[in-house]
Amino acid sequence: ALNTDYVMRTGAFDPKDAKIVPDEIKETGAKLKELAAKRYKSVIDAVGEELLVSGSDDFTMFMWKPEKEKKCIARMTGHQQLVNDVKFSPDMRLVASASFDKSIRIWCGKTGKFMAVLRGHVQAVYQLAWAADSRLLVSGSADSTLKLWSMDTKKLHTDLPGHGDEVYTVDWSPDGQRVVSGAKDKLLRIWRK
């Protein structure tokens, strides 16, 4: 995961300007590219540099400065089984990791220091997605549930049962209004705030 993933994903479109019914895009491709580059540059100016966190099946994660160093700047340990997913929060202050050990761990997005463990799933956690405002995290698990986690309390906010089998994928819309999930039950579900 890169700390700039969110700004690259949203490109020229700032989620704070999102509408329920989006306006027609009137800008040219060149103008959109320019806007996206401007947003990316403003993020890099704010955080200083790109950081990367890699997760592994040896239960560890490493934080890197890919543009400057070939050695990792932090070794992040604590998971008891392989790491399935790693995501930086949109505000880049936090990193979340999901594991087969049924837990989610929260780390500092600048130093890689451990901050909290989130427990509640009863089987492996496959994937994570952050809300646009970085206040909520959603997780999908082999236990057939999605769970919303509050970053204010570092506790379970809402349990979202509804799938009949393992939840393989979750994602949050860039405007923060909806979560989508896909599961082994061959259903896609859209969850609204």
Side-chain angles (χ1 to χ4, degrees), residues 15-85:
K16 76 177 186 308
D17 301 328
K19 299 176 183 172
I20 298 294
V21 179
D23 295 330
E24 187 176 321
I25 299 170
K26 296 177 180 151
E27 292 87 355
T28 64
K31 179 65 174 171
L32 291 173
K33 186 176 177 180
E34 180 186 321
L35 289 170
K38 183 178 174 184
R39 283 192 66 225
Y40 178 83
K41 185 178 179 337
S42 71
V43 165
I44 291 296
D45 289 346
V47 298
E49 61 196 331
E50 264 191 342
L51 295 175
L52 176 123
V53 174
S54 59
S56 176
D57 59 2
D58 69 0
F59 316 164
T60 64
M61 301 181 334
F62 290 94
M63 183 176 276
W64 310 84
K65 292 182 181 179
E67 292 184 83
K68 295 183 179 174
E69 300 178 31
K70 293 185 189 231
K71 289 180 79 177
C72 72
I73 60 169
R75 183 171 186 257
M76 302 154 72
T77 60
H79 281 297
Q80 303 302 307
Q81 291 188 30
L82 65 87
V83 177
N84 285 321
D85 195 17

Side-chain angles (χ1 to χ4, degrees), residues 3-183:
N3 62 346
T4 55
D5 278 344
Y6 187 74
V7 73
M8 288 192 293
R9 177 181 171 199
T10 54
F13 306 99
D14 196 333
K16 76 177 186 308
D17 301 328
K19 299 176 183 172
I20 298 294
V21 179
D23 295 330
E24 187 176 321
I25 299 170
K26 296 177 180 151
E27 292 87 355
T28 64
K31 179 65 174 171
L32 291 173
K33 186 176 177 180
E34 180 186 321
L35 289 170
K38 183 178 174 184
R39 283 192 66 225
Y40 178 83
K41 185 178 179 337
S42 71
V43 165
I44 291 296
D45 289 346
V47 298
E49 61 196 331
E50 264 191 342
L51 295 175
L52 176 123
V53 174
S54 59
S56 176
D57 59 2
D58 69 0
F59 316 164
T60 64
M61 301 181 334
F62 290 94
M63 183 176 276
W64 310 84
K65 292 182 181 179
E67 292 184 83
K68 295 183 179 174
E69 300 178 31
K70 293 185 189 231
K71 289 180 79 177
C72 72
I73 60 169
R75 183 171 186 257
M76 302 154 72
T77 60
H79 281 297
Q80 303 302 307
Q81 291 188 30
L82 65 87
V83 177
N84 285 321
D85 195 17
V86 179
K87 294 274 186 341
F88 272 91
S89 60
D91 66 7
M92 296 168 273
R93 294 182 315 114
L94 302 172
V95 174
S97 58
S99 172
F100 266 40
D101 68 9
K102 308 173 198 166
S103 75
I104 299 154
R105 291 183 179 262
I106 305 298
W107 314 82
C108 175
K110 288 185 183 266
T111 65
K113 291 196 185 305
F114 172 76
M115 295 175 71
V117 63
L118 309 176
R119 297 190 191 278
H121 284 292
V122 294
Q123 291 185 31
V125 184
Y126 289 139
Q127 198 170 33
L128 305 167
W130 287 95
D133 61 9
S134 302
R135 290 191 276 181
L136 292 173
L137 177 72
V138 65
S139 56
S141 169
D143 66 13
S144 79
T145 67
L146 283 77
K147 295 191 186 302
L148 286 179
W149 304 91
S150 167
M151 289 302 104
D152 291 337
T153 63
K154 306 291 189 289
K155 295 193 183 309
L156 182 65
H157 180 280
T158 308
D159 198 7
L160 299 172
H163 278 289
D165 212 333
E166 300 178 53
V167 178
Y168 290 134
T169 188
V170 294
D171 203 358
W172 212 298
S173 62
D175 65 5
Q177 298 301 309
R178 291 168 299 282
V179 168
V180 66
S181 57

